Amino acid sequence: METVLNEETFDVVIVGAGPVGLLTANYLGAQGLRVLVLERMRELIDYPRGVGMDDECLRSFQAVGLAREVLPHTTPQHHLRFVTGKGRTLAALEPGTDEFGWSRRNGFIQPLVDRVLFEGLARYAGVSVRFGHEVEEVAQDGDGVTITARADDARHRFSARYAVGCDGGRSALRKALDIPFEGETEPNRWIVVDLNNDPLATPHAWVYCNHARPYVSIALPHGVRRLEFMLHDKEAEGDTVPEPILRSMLAEAGCDLDRVDIIRARVYTHSGRLAARFRDKRILLAGDAAHIMPVWQGQGYNSGIRDATNLSWKLALVLKGIAKDRLLDSYEEERREHARAMIGLSVMAGKVLSITNPVGAALRDAFFLMLNVIPPVKRYIVGMRFKPMPRYRHGALAYPHGVDANSPVGTMFIQPPVQRAPGHEPVRLDEVLGDSFAILCWGIDPSYWMSEQTRALWKQLDTRLISVWPDTQLGYQLARDGPDVQPIADVSGRLKAWFDRHGRGVVFLRPDRFVAALCGPQQIDATTQALRTALHLQSGDRP
Ligand SMILES: Cc1cc2nc3c(=O)[nH]c(=O)nc-3n(C[C@H](O)[C@H](O)[C@H](O)COP(=O)(O)OP(=O)(O)OC[C@H]3O[C@@H](n4cnc5c(N)ncnc54)[C@H](O)[C@@H]3O)c2cc1C
């Protein structure tokens, strides 16, 4: 019988060192937890994959202190234009917004950013990554999870209180748990060609909705060009296409096969699939293990980053004994519906852009060209307002005034620039929020309205109390506010506009920057109690 070596114990075992596993490990490492990442490959995946990063994602990298290291591998304000076979613009996605503190659409090089996330783990003594460890078995009971991995010829066993399956679309954990992966695989195959020394040297991303052969051309950082061509039946030969076909496709995109510097050319199929459950007791699924989607909205990568951001703070609260295990149910409750909406949008976009029937393509073109002359519709498309923004109606939130479609509760809070002291350079809001909860108030000291019990509860959660003032008043307030409250100046006026729009001056922010609750000063105690219930906080000495 084969020997199983040395059982080691961790708080969390993460399976997979892709971006989702690595980000989760950064979040948990920052909380001082003991984390093991198991990766079956001998090194990080080094070929280009995801190319589109959104503003929410950059905000997550900011939260783990790595935005500055990630930025050199991004192109901000990266526009996406859909054009007809004749070059007429069907739709242009050019959102100029920076409401969350970062450019909404960014081109990026995934392996370089994955490496930043990996190197970021060196900051945490409690986190280790073991390459060359392929997870083969998983078992769980009421106390924890046991994972067995093969490394070379030996099998190693690890135990943890929780495990997170970030092991990609073919997730071994999802299969071991027998969780269905529901959805469809598109019939069309595509070849993805990445080139160094960009032979086109134009900015932005273009989708050519040419019915004879739709293709995509994307300028990426560091002179990389991504081309994706739809393949017709029988054109693919395994993972590649015959040279004459590749030559003619590249020529269509303006590139000469004899001169280009190919990094990788590989055939892919696109699928839209969603795991039936994101949680099975002590095992959670995140990233591609929980959902995969066609690339047309560039949201596969970003959706996984959202999972890591949503899950990590909840796991940390449970592992530290502050919240009950039930808090983890809110992970699936909050994330699954949004992932489903992103899959729907991505599948629909793929169907529209890859129409090969000339009549269908002409009708599509006529329809979108007509929409383009209706200014509100054009603004809707250009501003990407169709992108489903996460909006949680149930989960780790409190709606003291009832669930209300117009309430900002369950949405991501804005991130405008703020000032800490007169004359100081403005900083992004999250830099003053810290990495736990924050209570932000317009023009008051929130502690005045808090009972002792409320104050103690937020203190145990390391909550920052922040009062927001017009910049004219900051110096006066700094001299006056209590030691527990940090006054900041709203230098752009966006916070004032936000509180004005929502009609209440106290906002409770979760560590993932989502609005947990909103109330007036006199309801702070009652809202705190509602949140204590929604967050499943432990009673007793703990809050
Ligand atoms: C060609 C292509 C283009 C793409 N373009 C985009 C885009 O433009 N925008 C976008 O948002 N997304 C895009 N994506 C998707 C994006 O790359 C993925 O969504 C993202 O990498 C998912 O991250 P992840 O960490 O969940 O999984 P992965 O990055 O797949 O990482 C999973 C890791 O788990 C490891 N693993 C698997 N099984 C085991 C096991 N049993 N034991 C141990 N380790 C294991 C794997 O080796 C891997 O390192 C693209 C993907 C491809 C392939």
Side-chain angles (χ1 to χ4, degrees):
M1 203 172 77
E2 203 176 17
T3 341
V4 179
L5 301 170
N6 54 349
E7 178 150 341
E8 293 175 72
T9 304
F10 298 85
D11 291 319
V12 181
V13 169
I14 294 170
V15 184
V20 179
L22 294 170
L23 179 63
T24 306
N26 273 280
Y27 272 120
L28 299 177
Q31 294 297 318
L33 296 166
R34 286 203 66 214
V35 179
L36 174 67
V37 183
L38 293 172
E39 168 57 51
R40 74 168 168 204
M41 312 268 285
R42 301 229 162 253
E43 52 191 30
L44 296 180
I45 296 178
D46 67 349
Y47 51 82
R49 293 193 292 159
V51 292
M53 178 187 288
D54 67 16
D55 45 357
E56 299 169 58
C57 174
L58 266 167
R59 197 172 188 182
S60 295
F61 295 155
Q62 178 189 3
V64 294
L66 294 174
R68 206 178 48 174
E69 287 76 7
V70 165
L71 281 181
H73 309 306
T74 66
T75 303
Q77 305 299 347
H78 197 235
H79 301 159
L80 174 62
R81 295 176 189 135
F82 294 82
V83 292
T84 65
K86 294 194 174 118
R88 292 185 69 189
T89 303
L90 292 173
L93 313 189
E94 304 179 1
T97 175
D98 64 351
E99 69 176 311
F100 298 134
W102 301 96
S103 150
R104 174 148 295 177
R105 289 186 50 85
N106 306 274
F108 83 111
I109 306 277
Q110 185 176 339
L112 294 175
V113 172
D114 288 357
R115 181 146 297 279
V116 168
L117 295 174
F118 172 65
E119 286 170 358
L121 296 177
R123 298 171 296 175
Y124 309 116
V127 180
S128 50
V129 181
R130 305 232 182 124
F131 287 99
H133 281 65
E134 174 152 15
V135 170
E136 293 185 332
E137 280 171 31
V138 58
Q140 57 179 328
D141 59 23
D143 297 323
V145 184
T146 307
I147 283 189
T148 312
R150 176 173 296 282
D152 298 321
D153 290 336
R155 276 156 64 83
H156 299 254
R157 186 171 293 154
F158 306 95
S159 60
R161 291 173 61 203
Y162 289 92
V164 189
C166 306
D167 48 347
R170 300 200 169 119
S171 171
L173 259 60
R174 191 189 62 235
K175 287 178 187 159
L177 296 167
D178 216 7
I179 297 179
F181 207 29
E182 296 154 349
E184 58 183 57
T185 295
E186 287 180 7
N188 301 327
R189 308 185 83 192
W190 290 71
I191 185 158
V192 178
V193 186
D194 288 299
L195 307 172
N196 263 326
N197 297 303
D198 188 353
L200 301 177
T202 54
H204 302 304
W206 298 82
V207 179
Y208 295 91
C209 302
N210 184 346
H211 68 83
R213 186 188 300 279
Y215 78 94
V216 183
S217 176
I218 307 174
L220 294 175
H222 310 320
V224 174
R225 167 76 44 180
R226 154 85 42 103
L227 298 168
E228 305 185 25
F229 302 93
M230 199 183 94
L231 299 177
H232 299 302
D233 281 352
K234 303 199 178 90
E235 280 184 330
E237 283 182 355
D239 283 346
T240 185
V241 296
E243 190 188 302
I245 296 178
L246 182 61
R247 181 178 295 280
S248 87
M249 289 188 305
L250 287 177
E252 171 74 22
C255 304
D256 176 355
L257 179 63
D258 293 329
R259 304 193 63 204
V260 291
D261 178 1
I262 296 184
I263 304 172
R264 197 166 188 266
R266 193 159 185 260
V267 173
Y268 287 95
T269 41
H270 296 300
S271 303
R273 290 183 186 274
L274 184 66
R277 285 171 286 131
F278 283 15
R279 179 177 187 197
D280 188 303
K281 301 183 209 84
R282 290 181 167 268
I283 303 174
L284 300 118
L285 299 178
D288 279 15
H291 42 71
I292 49 173
M293 57 195 79
V295 295
W296 311 121
Q297 293 300 317
Q299 282 295 322
Y301 179 93
N302 295 298
S303 297
I305 297 299
R306 278 189 204 104
D307 294 345
T309 305
N310 185 291
L311 175 61
S312 301
W313 66 269
K314 296 174 181 173
L315 259 180
L317 284 187
V318 171
L319 284 161
K320 289 178 177 179
I322 296 172
K324 295 176 199 153
D325 171 90
R326 276 187 60 196
L327 174 62
L328 297 177
D329 288 341
S330 69
Y331 164 62
E332 175 178 317
E333 215 172 0
E334 295 180 351
R335 284 295 312 132
R336 195 164 174 276
E337 269 322 294
H338 185 254
R340 183 203 295 281
M342 277 300 181
I343 292 171
L345 183 66
S346 307
V347 168
M348 197 259 294
K351 287 194 163 91
V352 172
L353 74 88
S354 57
I355 296 176
T356 49
N357 171 316
V359 178
L363 286 172
R364 171 202 60 203
D365 294 355
F367 177 69
F368 277 94
L369 291 169
M370 182 194 73
L371 291 184
N372 262 333
V373 294
I374 308 172
V377 178
K378 190 170 179 182
R379 279 198 299 276
Y380 180 81
I381 295 172
V382 169
M384 277 176 71
R385 290 186 212 155
F386 55 85
K387 177 185 169 192
M389 296 305 290
R391 179 184 200 99
Y392 309 141
R393 300 200 188 282
H394 306 283
L397 317 154
Y399 281 97
H401 306 279
V403 176
D404 161 7
N406 297 319
S407 165
V409 173
T411 63
M412 183 173 264
F413 193 62
I414 56 172
Q415 182 178 211
V418 297
Q419 204 177 28
R420 288 182 168 122
H424 281 211
E425 275 294 304
V427 294
R428 291 184 173 87
L429 174 68
D430 292 3
E431 303 303 316
V432 298
L433 293 184
D435 58 7
S436 184
F437 287 83
I439 301 175
L440 209 67
C441 305
W442 176 257
I444 58 153
D445 171 351
S447 62
Y448 174 86
W449 296 98
M450 290 181 174
S451 67
E452 276 310 311
Q453 197 193 7
T454 296
R455 225 177 284 218
L457 184 149
W458 290 117
K459 199 166 177 167
Q460 291 221 41
L461 287 169
D462 278 334
T463 305
R464 293 212 180 151
L465 307 183
I466 296 166
S467 58
V468 187
W469 308 89
D471 54 359
T472 46
Q473 298 173 29
L474 183 61
Y476 184 81
Q477 292 302 331
L478 276 168
R480 188 166 167 259
D481 259 355
D484 295 337
V485 180
Q486 153 127 46
I488 56 171
D490 174 30
V491 287
S492 66
R494 291 194 205 175
L495 287 168
K496 181 164 130 194
W498 191 94
F499 284 110
D500 183 40
R501 188 163 61 252
H502 296 296
R504 293 192 175 89
V506 183
V507 62
F508 296 73
L509 301 180
R510 312 190 316 190
D512 59 4
R513 319 308 185 194
F514 275 73
V515 176
L518 177 72
C519 69
Q522 298 171 87
Q523 290 85 45
I524 288 181
D525 283 343
T527 306
T528 298
Q529 287 312 312
L531 277 175
R532 172 203 276 259
T533 306
L535 293 169
H536 300 286
L537 298 184
Q538 298 278 12
S539 45
D541 291 337
R542 290 272 183 200

